[in-house]
């Protein structure tokens, strides 16, 4: 047997080279426009009672599919004795199946390209978005819906002949999902791959520029990209030593040699401490037992009008094929803010992460963006920490409104922001820590450390590491 | 702010030096013998119906303490469609509180010493065992039992003034506990520490030699020791380059530079794959609904007489103070075997780990020893993989019978074995992988990768890395 002495260096270099590869986006835009002209999906809000194939359980009120597959909507009771709000109940989506979010990659002229899909989802505010090669629940790929086979799925189900770059299970929205996880995969193939209608090979450099467009790169693509072993060595060597730009501080932060304010062992011990210290008790309850939620015309809403509504939609997909179905969805009441405060410390960009307790977390808390909230929910409550610092800053490095997953969430949008500050004593807080990008990337090789909002935003931060050629 | 460029090297060196420090054990043995003469605990089996302060719920039969604290005994239904046994129900202990297992360390003449406790537990086969400085459930240290304060606890509850070497939450027996975790901590203090009666400072070298004694070092001590950042650099430099002994292969395996058969990223992807592939469905059920278990004279047993009994015990502690209480316990039906197959590959010792699905796992499966079973449970079933290879081997490097935790388990003992083999094709299996000690140690910096039996056995394996001076 041969012994392995180090792994990952070559992949990291290839990823960096793909970031630096910058063909124009002309071809992309004409392809995407043509796809948009043949892909339609109309989602009409209907009463929950008009759902077809879904039923509310007589005893619990829980809503589930007649096959017992896909997902169910149940209730959850949350008790966080030390939280700003100590106890509440709410509807929550229970989807125990672990699906696959996968991107296929292949070298063309030595440069890694990512096979992306133009995909419509019922909840998307603007129809078509750029998606991973595959996004499939187990019900999807075991054909519960009796639909056609998921293209390219076999590359992710049988990886023996390929090179697996990333394969890690990560959580999704802990406010709306109960312990939901998906498998985030990136698989490199050497063989020829037929490009089906609706798919296109793009470099990381191209995808990074598309992240600057509102509602274009979807959540599933962002979370998979964030899990890449994104080390910046190759990017660092492209920098002049005297370069003191924001980008150079970011690139240094991505490198495995980046000096950090806190050692990685110290970060791990801090996470242990937060998870041990927090008292969080969650229990699933019947949906009919959620308190302070009311049903108006077949939509379930909080009495305050805040947070989100549980709605039903009737979906009609038109284009090359016609499909029609109904399903429950979550519709947030307002647009959220998802923001990192970042600071240059010793020439290395640091990100202020928040160890955030959420009811759907597998393990108490995960690392979240500095700010993650819907400001309207706080109209008469204490403002979330650092929200005003984000909104009033003049040092905004990234500000793009992006959609959350359109298969479960109806027009759920967040303003993703990266704001630079001077690190100061006001940022010292037991639930917050300055970390380098490389430290976050290391944690992303494991499950359940970094939440989906932070992963999305990390993909956006990565996008600022490239040369920034415009299309 | 100062940037950290690497952490842990100095601690690893100190740990290695403590391994090499070998004062004799004469003083230990006289201390331990004197402690044994003043510490008694009698545990008498009584009917479950005679429990005092504990009650069976009328509807569910679940047994819990009248305070609602400590733990409860409930039922669990397990469905593993692809397992050797596909479906069963059993009693299980539900203890959601996260306790602290902590060892205090301090340098004397520059050498790390560990403050160990001689502690009796009702389930211990032989009374007194060597235990961590602190082992406390949250109910213990919030004084639900109205007993005296736990000595040295404050060092672990407020670490700000000390040096935290290890702080990670780890699982316990997944066959008997439902998602139980404890916080494994090692805290170094610089200040003077008063040594209370029942406590003694020992080097790692001394503790390692005590691991060769049956039923002496308790499970809680073993799991905490296993979580130490045990890198072998300082041990490696003490070796002659031409040394091709078992010990030298082990020491190389502990070093961060050890070449391994599989890269660490590949190991992580394998764990993701096993956890995603395995279909495991567990649900808590009322204790009265477990099937094929019967109650005889107030003891709950499986109809086959195998696995374990749920018993009640009346405990009388005598010595300097008198205490008396009753509690439920799990009594295994026979002594188990917990074994690693190890092999030298390229001069580096590798351990054959098993990704094992257990009903109490937080996340489907954890890395377990090559063999972990009670052979008598398999009298008329297929023999567990590699069990016979372990039992028939003539290359036994470690063979000591050790106790499991005596606070919940009644005379639960396992034969801990380390057996050397030639790595061959018979060891290739989708649920098994050869790993270096260093790779396992890296995973132990995170929660829920390595199960308690593997941690115990890893501490035993560490013990073979020292010079092996006998007392």
């Amino acid at each position: 047997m041969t012994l392995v002495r180090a792994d990952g260096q070559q992949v990291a270099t290839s990823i960096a080279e793909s970031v630096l590869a910058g063909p124009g986006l002309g071809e992309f835009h004409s392809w995407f426009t043509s796809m948009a002209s043949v892909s339609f999906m109309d989602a009409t809000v209907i009463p929950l009672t008009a759902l077809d194939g879904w039923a509310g359980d007589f005893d619990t009120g829980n809503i589930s599919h007649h096959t017992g597959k896909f997902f169910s909507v149940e209730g959850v009771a949350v008790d966080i004795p030390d939280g700003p709000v100590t106890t509440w109940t709410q509807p929550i989506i229970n989807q125990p199946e672990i699906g696959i979010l996968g991107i296929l990659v292949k070298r063309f002229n030595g440069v890694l390209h990512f096979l992306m899909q133009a995909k419509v989802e019922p909840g998307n505010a603007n129809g078509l978005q750029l998606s991973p090669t595959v996004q499939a629940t187990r019900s999807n790929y075991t054909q519960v819906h009796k639909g056609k086979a998921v293209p390219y799925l076999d590359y992710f189900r049988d990886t023996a002949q390929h090179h697996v770059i990333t394969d890690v299970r990560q959580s999704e929205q802990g406010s709306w999902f109960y312990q939901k996880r998906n498998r985030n995969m990136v698989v490199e193939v050497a063989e020829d791959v037929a490009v089906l209608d609706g798919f296109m090979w793009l470099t990381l450099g191209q995808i990074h520029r598309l992240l600057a467009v509102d509602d274009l790169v979807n959540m599933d693509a962002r979370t998979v990209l964030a899990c890449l072993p994104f080390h910046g060595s190759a990017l660092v060597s492209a920098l002049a030593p005297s370069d003191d730009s924001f980008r150079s501080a970011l690139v240094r932060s991505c490198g495995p040699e980046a000096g950090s304010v806190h050692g990685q062992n110290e970060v791990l011990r801090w996470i242990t401490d937060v998870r041990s210290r927090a008292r969080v008790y969650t229990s699933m309850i019947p949906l009919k037992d959620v308190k302070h939620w009311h049903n108006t015309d077949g939509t379930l809403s909080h009495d305050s009008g805040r947070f989100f509504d549980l709605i039903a939609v009737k979906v009609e997909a038109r284009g090359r094929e016609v499909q029609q179905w109904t399903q429950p969805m979550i519709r947030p009441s307002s647009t959220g803010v998802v923001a990192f405060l970042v600071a240059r410390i010793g020439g290395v960009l640091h990100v202020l992460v928040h160890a955030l307790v959420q009811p759907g977390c597998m393990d108490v808390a995960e690392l979240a963006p500095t700010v993650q909230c819907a400001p309207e929910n706080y109209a008469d409550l204490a403002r979330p920490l650092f929200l005003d610092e984000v909104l009033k800053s003049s040092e905004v490095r990234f500000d793009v409104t992006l959609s959350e997953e359109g298969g479960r969430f109806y027009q759920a949008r967040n303003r993703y922001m990266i704001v630079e500050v001077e690190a100061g004593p006001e940022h010292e807080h037991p639930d917050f820590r300055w970390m380098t990008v490389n430290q976050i990337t290391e944690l992303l090789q494991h499950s359940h450390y970094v939440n989906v909002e932070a992963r999305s935003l990390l993909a956006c931060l990565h996008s600022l590491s490239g040369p920034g050629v415009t299309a």
Side-chain angles (χ1 to χ4, degrees), chain A residues 16-69:
Chain A
E17 285 166 358
S18 185
V19 170
L20 297 170
L25 288 164
E27 191 190 345
F28 167 81
H29 285 299
S30 49
W31 166 74
F32 201 76
T33 305
S34 76
M35 287 307 304
S37 69
V38 292
S39 310
F40 307 92
M41 199 175 270
D42 295 328
T44 317
V45 178
I46 58 172
L48 287 164
T49 47
L51 282 168
D52 181 23
W54 296 78
D57 181 76
F58 184 78
D59 288 327
T60 62
N62 293 347
I63 299 169
S64 47
H65 195 251
H66 70 92
T67 58
K69 303 281 181 173

Side-chain angles (χ1 to χ4, degrees), chain A residues 26-191:
Chain A
E27 191 190 345
F28 167 81
H29 285 299
S30 49
W31 166 74
F32 201 76
T33 305
S34 76
M35 287 307 304
S37 69
V38 292
S39 310
F40 307 92
M41 199 175 270
D42 295 328
T44 317
V45 178
I46 58 172
L48 287 164
T49 47
L51 282 168
D52 181 23
W54 296 78
D57 181 76
F58 184 78
D59 288 327
T60 62
N62 293 347
I63 299 169
S64 47
H65 195 251
H66 70 92
T67 58
K69 303 281 181 173
F70 299 109
F71 62 93
S72 58
V73 185
E74 309 181 16
V76 67
V78 186
D79 188 10
I80 305 182
D82 312 308
V85 179
T86 56
T87 178
W88 73 92
T89 59
Q90 64 166 77
I92 199 159
I93 297 178
N94 188 4
Q95 182 170 348
E97 291 183 4
I98 295 180
I100 292 174
L101 307 178
I103 302 183
L104 203 64
V105 305
K106 183 173 154 65
R107 282 165 209 272
F108 294 95
N109 297 322
V111 177
L112 283 185
H113 282 64
F114 293 68
L115 188 61
M116 304 302 287
Q117 180 183 184
K119 193 170 195 309
V120 282
E121 295 277 7
N124 287 353
N126 60 341
L128 208 62
Q129 296 199 4
L130 195 65
S131 310
T133 319
V134 162
Q135 50 188 60
T137 63
R138 194 185 271 255
S139 293
N140 273 152
Y141 62 70
T142 53
Q143 312 267 319
V144 173
H145 69 333
K146 300 194 178 72
K148 58 178 184 180
V150 177
Y152 304 111
L153 180 63
D154 288 344
Y155 287 112
F156 300 92
R157 296 203 70 189
D158 180 4
T159 58
Q161 303 307 314
H162 313 300
H163 173 214
V164 179
I165 293 178
T166 294
D167 186 3
V168 62
R169 291 163 323 138
Q170 299 290 5
S171 65
E172 296 193 359
Q173 281 79 359
S175 294
W176 300 334
F177 279 123
Y178 183 71
Q179 300 189 352
K180 162 93 181 282
R181 286 93 62 78
N182 268 322
R183 195 168 170 176
N184 287 242
M185 300 180 76
V186 178
V187 173
E188 183 184 351
V189 289
E191 67 195 45

Side-chain angles (χ1 to χ4, degrees), chain A residues 236-380:
Chain A
V236 171
S237 57
L239 291 176
S242 62
D243 186 344
D244 64 351
S245 63
F246 173 84
R247 183 185 155 214
S248 77
L250 167 59
V251 165
R252 280 189 205 101
S253 184
C254 297
E257 301 303 321
S260 52
V261 169
H262 305 284
Q264 190 76 338
N265 290 344
E266 191 186 333
V267 168
L268 291 176
R269 292 190 293 259
W270 166 62
I271 296 170
T272 296
D273 187 61
V274 171
R275 286 177 165 172
S276 303
R277 183 154 43 82
R279 292 184 297 160
V280 184
Y281 310 99
T282 55
S283 53
M284 299 302 282
I285 60 171
L287 181 58
K288 72 176 172 47
D289 290 346
V290 297
K291 302 270 189 305
H292 306 297
W293 290 77
H294 62 272
N295 189 323
T296 307
D297 302 330
T299 289
L300 197 62
S301 308
H302 193 258
D303 294 348
S304 66
R306 291 182 190 160
F307 310 116
F308 62 86
D309 301 324
L310 178 67
I311 62 172
V313 293
K314 179 178 170 187
V315 184
E316 289 185 272
R318 294 172 293 121
R320 290 198 178 74
E321 61 178 327
V322 178
Q323 276 187 297
Q324 186 175 307
W325 71 90
T326 65
Q327 67 169 87
M329 296 193 91
I330 277 181
R331 177 176 66 190
S333 307
S334 58
T335 298
V337 173
V338 171
F340 275 144
L341 290 185
V342 298
R344 291 179 229 186
I345 304 175
V348 176
L349 199 72
H350 281 65
V351 174
L352 190 61
V353 297
H354 179 196
L356 178 67
V357 173
Q358 290 189 286
C361 282
M362 281 289 292
D363 198 1
V364 184
E366 295 190 13
L367 300 187
T370 323
V371 172
Q372 165 186 329
C373 69
E376 291 185 19
N377 292 341
Y378 293 85
D380 52 8

Side-chain angles (χ1 to χ4, degrees), chain A residues 167-224:
Chain A
D167 186 3
V168 62
R169 291 163 323 138
Q170 299 290 5
S171 65
E172 296 193 359
Q173 281 79 359
S175 294
W176 300 334
F177 279 123
Y178 183 71
Q179 300 189 352
K180 162 93 181 282
R181 286 93 62 78
N182 268 322
R183 195 168 170 176
N184 287 242
M185 300 180 76
V186 178
V187 173
E188 183 184 351
V189 289
E191 67 195 45
D192 284 345
V193 175
V195 177
L196 299 176
D197 197 29
F199 291 82
M200 187 174 186
W201 292 108
L202 295 169
T203 66
L204 267 185
Q206 289 177 305
I207 298 170
H208 281 174
R209 277 172 282 143
L210 296 173
L211 274 165
V213 181
D214 281 357
D215 296 309
L216 180 52
V217 179
N218 87 347
M219 183 195 92
D220 292 342
R222 300 193 304 268
T223 169
V224 176

